[in-house]
Amino acid sequence: MRIQRLDEGAMKAGSQWKETRKMYGTEATEHFEVVQLEEPNKIVLRCDGTKGTTGKGEYIFTYIITPGDDTTQTKVTLNGEINKLTGFSRFLGKMIAGTFKKACAKDLDKLINYLEK
């Protein structure tokens, strides 16, 4: 995976980047923007599908960070939305919701592995 920042400085609302990764055997690039940042409890990201490989849709990812059961744990909850799809894309979006959910779970697992190093 490659990330290209489109601005400089600390991450804040309005920060943007392009993320390129392998999806189904081919490279896909998507455009992300931080919509809301409430450190250390919440971050909302928007992926503008019209600026990326998919060419359609809007994907909203809300990460909620809360203390876990003890002082060594943190709970990360991810809520995702797919918006602005029409016609066949909307139908296809409903069909691939399970695949989308699995991809998000995989991303969270990678985040856990990275943070536990």
Side-chain angles (χ1 to χ4, degrees):
M1 177 169 53
R2 295 186 315 271
I3 295 176
Q4 175 192 2
R5 280 286 301 265
L6 301 175
D7 57 1
E8 295 181 11
M11 195 67 68
K12 61 185 181 301
S15 292
Q16 298 181 39
W17 67 91
K18 288 184 181 180
E19 183 177 300
T20 302
R21 65 169 71 191
K22 279 234 180 195
M23 298 281 300
Y24 308 109
T26 61
E27 279 198 347
T29 300
E30 300 301 337
H31 183 273
F32 285 85
E33 176 182 4
V34 176
V35 175
Q36 184 179 0
L37 180 60
E38 296 174 15
E39 292 186 63
N41 303 316
K42 182 179 182 181
I43 184 168
V44 180
L45 304 177
R46 176 179 178 265
C47 175
D48 183 348
T50 65
K51 295 181 180 179
T53 301
T54 59
K56 297 177 174 113
E58 173 187 64
Y59 308 86
I60 307 292
F61 301 95
T62 302
Y63 294 84
I64 305 293
I65 299 102
T66 55
D69 296 333
D70 65 45
T71 58
T72 64
Q73 294 180 344
T74 301
K75 181 178 177 183
V76 178
T77 304
L78 170 60
N79 295 307
E81 298 175 36
I82 303 173
N83 302 312
K84 298 185 180 179
L85 294 177
T86 59
F88 183 70
S89 296
R90 178 179 230 157
F91 173 74
L92 186 61
K94 288 181 181 184
M95 289 184 58
I96 64 167
T99 303
F100 182 73
K101 187 175 181 178
K102 287 178 187 175
C104 289
K106 194 173 181 181
D107 284 348
L108 283 174
D109 288 340
K110 288 180 184 179
L111 176 62
I112 289 168
N113 290 335
Y114 176 80
L115 294 173
E116 289 181 341
K117 286 183 183 180

Tab-separated table of all heavy atoms in Angstrom, residues 13-51:
chain	number	residue	atom	x	y	z
A	13	ALA	N	-8.850	18.246	10.361
A	13	ALA	CA	-9.993	18.289	9.451
A	13	ALA	C	-9.556	19.019	8.186
A	13	ALA	O	-8.931	20.069	8.254
A	13	ALA	CB	-11.172	18.996	10.106
A	14	GLY	N	-9.841	18.430	7.043
A	14	GLY	CA	-9.429	18.997	5.770
A	14	GLY	C	-8.189	18.333	5.184
A	14	GLY	O	-7.922	18.474	3.993
A	15	SER	N	-7.401	17.608	5.990
A	15	SER	CA	-6.230	16.899	5.467
A	15	SER	C	-6.675	15.876	4.424
A	15	SER	O	-7.728	15.253	4.561
A	15	SER	CB	-5.480	16.183	6.592
A	15	SER	OG	-4.885	17.095	7.470
A	16	GLN	N	-5.843	15.709	3.367
A	16	GLN	CA	-6.205	14.827	2.268
A	16	GLN	C	-5.009	13.984	1.840
A	16	GLN	O	-3.869	14.406	1.984
A	16	GLN	CB	-6.702	15.640	1.072
A	16	GLN	CG	-7.937	16.448	1.371
A	16	GLN	CD	-8.412	17.216	0.151
A	16	GLN	OE1	-8.370	16.720	-0.965
A	16	GLN	NE2	-8.888	18.439	0.382
A	17	TRP	N	-5.308	12.811	1.297
A	17	TRP	CA	-4.265	11.946	0.749
A	17	TRP	C	-4.872	10.992	-0.259
A	17	TRP	O	-6.078	10.807	-0.318
A	17	TRP	CB	-3.545	11.159	1.855
A	17	TRP	CG	-4.374	10.130	2.552
A	17	TRP	CD1	-4.520	8.809	2.225
A	17	TRP	CD2	-5.205	10.337	3.693
A	17	TRP	NE1	-5.377	8.197	3.097
A	17	TRP	CE2	-5.798	9.109	4.020
A	17	TRP	CE3	-5.495	11.445	4.499
A	17	TRP	CZ2	-6.668	8.955	5.089
A	17	TRP	CZ3	-6.355	11.291	5.570
A	17	TRP	CH2	-6.927	10.058	5.850
A	18	LYS	N	-3.991	10.415	-1.068
A	18	LYS	CA	-4.375	9.355	-1.994
A	18	LYS	C	-3.768	8.058	-1.472
A	18	LYS	O	-2.614	8.034	-1.047
A	18	LYS	CB	-3.851	9.627	-3.406
A	18	LYS	CG	-4.563	10.751	-4.106
A	18	LYS	CD	-4.059	10.895	-5.522
A	18	LYS	CE	-4.758	12.043	-6.215
A	18	LYS	NZ	-4.280	12.215	-7.590
A	19	GLU	N	-4.577	7.009	-1.505
A	19	GLU	CA	-4.148	5.703	-1.021
A	19	GLU	C	-4.256	4.716	-2.167
A	19	GLU	O	-5.315	4.593	-2.781
A	19	GLU	CB	-5.055	5.295	0.140
A	19	GLU	CG	-4.698	3.994	0.784
A	19	GLU	CD	-5.597	3.702	1.969
A	19	GLU	OE1	-5.619	4.493	2.924
A	19	GLU	OE2	-6.283	2.662	1.915
A	20	THR	N	-3.151	4.029	-2.447
A	20	THR	CA	-3.127	3.048	-3.525
A	20	THR	C	-2.844	1.683	-2.922
A	20	THR	O	-1.908	1.535	-2.135
A	20	THR	CB	-2.040	3.398	-4.559
A	20	THR	OG1	-2.302	4.714	-5.075
A	20	THR	CG2	-2.027	2.409	-5.710
A	21	ARG	N	-3.672	0.706	-3.288
A	21	ARG	CA	-3.487	-0.657	-2.782
A	21	ARG	C	-3.964	-1.652	-3.820
A	21	ARG	O	-4.672	-1.289	-4.759
A	21	ARG	CB	-4.237	-0.856	-1.473
A	21	ARG	CG	-5.730	-0.749	-1.644
A	21	ARG	CD	-6.532	-1.193	-0.471
A	21	ARG	NE	-6.422	-0.255	0.630
A	21	ARG	CZ	-6.845	-0.507	1.841
A	21	ARG	NH1	-7.377	-1.666	2.114
A	21	ARG	NH2	-6.755	0.379	2.785
A	22	LYS	N	-3.586	-2.903	-3.636
A	22	LYS	CA	-4.058	-3.965	-4.522
A	22	LYS	C	-5.453	-4.385	-4.097
A	22	LYS	O	-5.702	-4.689	-2.934
A	22	LYS	CB	-3.127	-5.171	-4.451
A	22	LYS	CG	-1.901	-5.011	-5.285
A	22	LYS	CD	-1.784	-6.174	-6.219
A	22	LYS	CE	-0.520	-5.924	-7.020
A	22	LYS	NZ	-0.432	-6.720	-8.164
A	23	MET	N	-6.365	-4.360	-5.036
A	23	MET	CA	-7.742	-4.809	-4.815
A	23	MET	C	-8.084	-5.781	-5.941
A	23	MET	O	-8.053	-5.391	-7.109
A	23	MET	CB	-8.720	-3.633	-4.852
A	23	MET	CG	-8.506	-2.586	-3.786
A	23	MET	SD	-9.141	-2.988	-2.174
A	23	MET	CE	-10.868	-3.191	-2.483
A	24	TYR	N	-8.384	-7.007	-5.570
A	24	TYR	CA	-8.762	-8.021	-6.547
A	24	TYR	C	-7.713	-8.168	-7.659
A	24	TYR	O	-8.029	-8.298	-8.825
A	24	TYR	CB	-10.138	-7.727	-7.144
A	24	TYR	CG	-11.178	-7.497	-6.094
A	24	TYR	CD1	-11.688	-6.218	-5.884
A	24	TYR	CD2	-11.634	-8.526	-5.286
A	24	TYR	CE1	-12.631	-5.989	-4.887
A	24	TYR	CE2	-12.572	-8.300	-4.292
A	24	TYR	CZ	-13.071	-7.037	-4.104
A	24	TYR	OH	-14.001	-6.799	-3.121
A	25	GLY	N	-6.437	-8.092	-7.276
A	25	GLY	CA	-5.341	-8.322	-8.210
A	25	GLY	C	-4.888	-7.117	-9.009
A	25	GLY	O	-3.919	-7.211	-9.757
A	26	THR	N	-5.563	-5.975	-8.898
A	26	THR	CA	-5.135	-4.780	-9.624
A	26	THR	C	-4.978	-3.615	-8.640
A	26	THR	O	-5.557	-3.630	-7.553
A	26	THR	CB	-6.149	-4.374	-10.709
A	26	THR	OG1	-7.402	-4.089	-10.100
A	26	THR	CG2	-6.337	-5.484	-11.727
A	27	GLU	N	-4.215	-2.625	-9.032
A	27	GLU	CA	-4.040	-1.454	-8.175
A	27	GLU	C	-5.253	-0.538	-8.259
A	27	GLU	O	-5.791	-0.301	-9.335
A	27	GLU	CB	-2.784	-0.672	-8.576
A	27	GLU	CG	-1.521	-1.266	-8.025
A	27	GLU	CD	-0.356	-0.288	-8.036
A	27	GLU	OE1	-0.440	0.777	-8.682
A	27	GLU	OE2	0.660	-0.608	-7.397
A	28	ALA	N	-5.650	-0.032	-7.094
A	28	ALA	CA	-6.766	0.909	-7.011
A	28	ALA	C	-6.311	2.092	-6.168
A	28	ALA	O	-5.674	1.915	-5.132
A	28	ALA	CB	-7.984	0.243	-6.382
A	29	THR	N	-6.626	3.296	-6.624
A	29	THR	CA	-6.272	4.511	-5.895
A	29	THR	C	-7.545	5.243	-5.513
A	29	THR	O	-8.425	5.434	-6.351
A	29	THR	CB	-5.374	5.434	-6.750
A	29	THR	OG1	-4.183	4.729	-7.079
A	29	THR	CG2	-5.011	6.707	-5.995
A	30	GLU	N	-7.627	5.637	-4.232
A	30	GLU	CA	-8.789	6.374	-3.754
A	30	GLU	C	-8.335	7.647	-3.046
A	30	GLU	O	-7.228	7.723	-2.523
A	30	GLU	CB	-9.634	5.513	-2.811
A	30	GLU	CG	-10.178	4.247	-3.441
A	30	GLU	CD	-11.062	4.449	-4.661
A	30	GLU	OE1	-11.646	5.548	-4.830
A	30	GLU	OE2	-11.186	3.511	-5.464
A	31	HIS	N	-9.187	8.641	-3.044
A	31	HIS	CA	-8.911	9.962	-2.479
A	31	HIS	C	-9.634	10.090	-1.140
A	31	HIS	O	-10.856	9.942	-1.081
A	31	HIS	CB	-9.408	11.037	-3.453
A	31	HIS	CG	-9.127	12.422	-3.017
A	31	HIS	ND1	-9.970	13.128	-2.194
A	31	HIS	CD2	-8.095	13.249	-3.291
A	31	HIS	CE1	-9.465	14.324	-1.978
A	31	HIS	NE2	-8.335	14.424	-2.624
A	32	PHE	N	-8.879	10.334	-0.065
A	32	PHE	CA	-9.438	10.447	1.281
A	32	PHE	C	-9.292	11.859	1.828
A	32	PHE	O	-8.346	12.566	1.492
A	32	PHE	CB	-8.718	9.490	2.248
A	32	PHE	CG	-9.094	8.058	2.078
A	32	PHE	CD1	-8.461	7.263	1.129
A	32	PHE	CD2	-10.073	7.491	2.863
A	32	PHE	CE1	-8.801	5.934	0.977
A	32	PHE	CE2	-10.427	6.163	2.724
A	32	PHE	CZ	-9.785	5.379	1.773
A	33	GLU	N	-10.223	12.214	2.701
A	33	GLU	CA	-10.180	13.503	3.394
A	33	GLU	C	-10.645	13.298	4.836
A	33	GLU	O	-11.594	12.555	5.093
A	33	GLU	CB	-11.108	14.502	2.708
A	33	GLU	CG	-11.188	15.840	3.415
A	33	GLU	CD	-12.143	16.812	2.755
A	33	GLU	OE1	-12.827	16.432	1.780
A	33	GLU	OE2	-12.224	17.961	3.224
A	34	VAL	N	-9.968	13.966	5.768
A	34	VAL	CA	-10.416	13.953	7.157
A	34	VAL	C	-11.570	14.938	7.267
A	34	VAL	O	-11.406	16.122	6.984
A	34	VAL	CB	-9.277	14.358	8.126
A	34	VAL	CG1	-9.792	14.422	9.558
A	34	VAL	CG2	-8.107	13.396	8.019
A	35	VAL	N	-12.741	14.452	7.655
A	35	VAL	CA	-13.928	15.291	7.796
A	35	VAL	C	-14.010	15.840	9.216
A	35	VAL	O	-14.360	16.996	9.426
A	35	VAL	CB	-15.206	14.486	7.455
A	35	VAL	CG1	-16.456	15.305	7.716
A	35	VAL	CG2	-15.157	14.002	6.026
A	36	GLN	N	-13.679	14.998	10.186
A	36	GLN	CA	-13.779	15.386	11.587
A	36	GLN	C	-12.667	14.678	12.354
A	36	GLN	O	-12.405	13.501	12.128
A	36	GLN	CB	-15.142	14.970	12.131
A	36	GLN	CG	-15.434	15.381	13.536
A	36	GLN	CD	-16.836	14.943	13.969
A	36	GLN	OE1	-17.583	14.340	13.211
A	36	GLN	NE2	-17.182	15.241	15.190
A	37	LEU	N	-12.029	15.406	13.269
A	37	LEU	CA	-10.974	14.831	14.106
A	37	LEU	C	-11.140	15.360	15.520
A	37	LEU	O	-11.021	16.564	15.747
A	37	LEU	CB	-9.593	15.185	13.556
A	37	LEU	CG	-8.394	14.650	14.329
A	37	LEU	CD1	-8.408	13.135	14.403
A	37	LEU	CD2	-7.099	15.148	13.689
A	38	GLU	N	-11.472	14.456	16.416
A	38	GLU	CA	-11.604	14.789	17.829
A	38	GLU	C	-10.630	13.899	18.588
A	38	GLU	O	-10.994	12.830	19.081
A	38	GLU	CB	-13.037	14.545	18.314
A	38	GLU	CG	-14.068	15.423	17.662
A	38	GLU	CD	-15.499	15.061	18.059
A	38	GLU	OE1	-15.702	14.326	19.044
A	38	GLU	OE2	-16.409	15.519	17.353
A	39	GLU	N	-9.351	14.321	18.628
A	39	GLU	CA	-8.325	13.504	19.272
A	39	GLU	C	-8.587	13.388	20.756
A	39	GLU	O	-8.975	14.377	21.374
A	39	GLU	CB	-6.950	14.144	19.058
A	39	GLU	CG	-6.497	14.095	17.612
A	39	GLU	CD	-5.082	14.601	17.461
A	39	GLU	OE1	-4.159	13.976	18.025
A	39	GLU	OE2	-4.918	15.630	16.797
A	40	PRO	N	-8.395	12.248	21.329
A	40	PRO	CA	-8.025	10.947	20.741
A	40	PRO	C	-9.222	10.019	20.557
A	40	PRO	O	-9.060	8.815	20.476
A	40	PRO	CB	-7.093	10.374	21.808
A	40	PRO	CG	-7.716	10.827	23.090
A	40	PRO	CD	-8.313	12.201	22.786
A	41	ASN	N	-10.434	10.562	20.477
A	41	ASN	CA	-11.636	9.727	20.534
A	41	ASN	C	-12.327	9.416	19.215
A	41	ASN	O	-13.067	8.445	19.131
A	41	ASN	CB	-12.669	10.378	21.462
A	41	ASN	CG	-12.106	10.603	22.842
A	41	ASN	OD1	-11.459	9.741	23.398
A	41	ASN	ND2	-12.325	11.788	23.375
A	42	LYS	N	-12.142	10.247	18.201
A	42	LYS	CA	-12.949	10.053	16.987
A	42	LYS	C	-12.251	10.641	15.772
A	42	LYS	O	-11.664	11.714	15.833
A	42	LYS	CB	-14.314	10.736	17.169
A	42	LYS	CG	-15.265	10.586	16.015
A	42	LYS	CD	-16.588	11.290	16.347
A	42	LYS	CE	-17.610	11.153	15.273
A	42	LYS	NZ	-18.854	11.860	15.592
A	43	ILE	N	-12.354	9.899	14.662
A	43	ILE	CA	-11.924	10.435	13.373
A	43	ILE	C	-12.934	9.974	12.323
A	43	ILE	O	-13.369	8.823	12.318
A	43	ILE	CB	-10.483	10.009	12.991
A	43	ILE	CG1	-10.060	10.674	11.680
A	43	ILE	CG2	-10.340	8.502	12.951
A	43	ILE	CD1	-8.589	10.555	11.359
A	44	VAL	N	-13.341	10.906	11.474
A	44	VAL	CA	-14.269	10.601	10.384
A	44	VAL	C	-13.534	10.874	9.079
A	44	VAL	O	-13.015	11.975	8.862
A	44	VAL	CB	-15.554	11.459	10.466
A	44	VAL	CG1	-16.494	11.109	9.321
A	44	VAL	CG2	-16.253	11.264	11.807
A	45	LEU	N	-13.480	9.850	8.224
A	45	LEU	CA	-12.816	9.957	6.929
A	45	LEU	C	-13.846	9.837	5.825
A	45	LEU	O	-14.802	9.063	5.930
A	45	LEU	CB	-11.777	8.845	6.763
A	45	LEU	CG	-10.701	8.737	7.827
A	45	LEU	CD1	-9.802	7.543	7.542
A	45	LEU	CD2	-9.890	10.016	7.899
A	46	ARG	N	-13.624	10.594	4.755
A	46	ARG	CA	-14.493	10.539	3.581
A	46	ARG	C	-13.636	10.125	2.390
A	46	ARG	O	-12.575	10.698	2.151
A	46	ARG	CB	-15.106	11.905	3.307
A	46	ARG	CG	-15.949	11.967	2.047
A	46	ARG	CD	-16.544	13.377	1.879
A	46	ARG	NE	-17.306	13.479	0.671
A	46	ARG	CZ	-16.828	13.941	-0.494
A	46	ARG	NH1	-15.588	14.384	-0.574
A	46	ARG	NH2	-17.612	13.996	-1.559
A	47	CYS	N	-14.097	9.115	1.695
A	47	CYS	CA	-13.445	8.688	0.455
A	47	CYS	C	-14.359	9.110	-0.685
A	47	CYS	O	-15.498	8.653	-0.784
A	47	CYS	CB	-13.244	7.174	0.470
A	47	CYS	SG	-12.567	6.532	-1.072
A	48	ASP	N	-13.861	10.010	-1.526
A	48	ASP	CA	-14.638	10.517	-2.657
A	48	ASP	C	-14.392	9.608	-3.854
A	48	ASP	O	-13.361	9.706	-4.521
A	48	ASP	CB	-14.212	11.953	-2.974
A	48	ASP	CG	-15.028	12.576	-4.082
A	48	ASP	OD1	-15.781	11.857	-4.779
A	48	ASP	OD2	-14.922	13.804	-4.262
A	49	GLY	N	-15.333	8.697	-4.087
A	49	GLY	CA	-15.191	7.740	-5.172
A	49	GLY	C	-15.061	8.377	-6.545
A	49	GLY	O	-14.471	7.786	-7.442
A	50	THR	N	-15.583	9.592	-6.724
A	50	THR	CA	-15.506	10.238	-8.040
A	50	THR	C	-14.077	10.650	-8.386
A	50	THR	O	-13.771	10.893	-9.544
A	50	THR	CB	-16.413	11.485	-8.119
A	50	THR	OG1	-15.939	12.485	-7.211
A	50	THR	CG2	-17.853	11.132	-7.799
A	51	LYS	N	-13.197	10.723	-7.384
A	51	LYS	CA	-11.801	11.111	-7.627
A	51	LYS	C	-10.864	9.906	-7.649
A	51	LYS	O	-9.660	10.072	-7.745
A	51	LYS	CB	-11.328	12.082	-6.544
A	51	LYS	CG	-12.040	13.405	-6.555
A	51	LYS	CD	-11.504	14.302	-5.472
A	51	LYS	CE	-12.201	15.654	-5.459
A	51	LYS	NZ	-11.680	16.515	-4.379
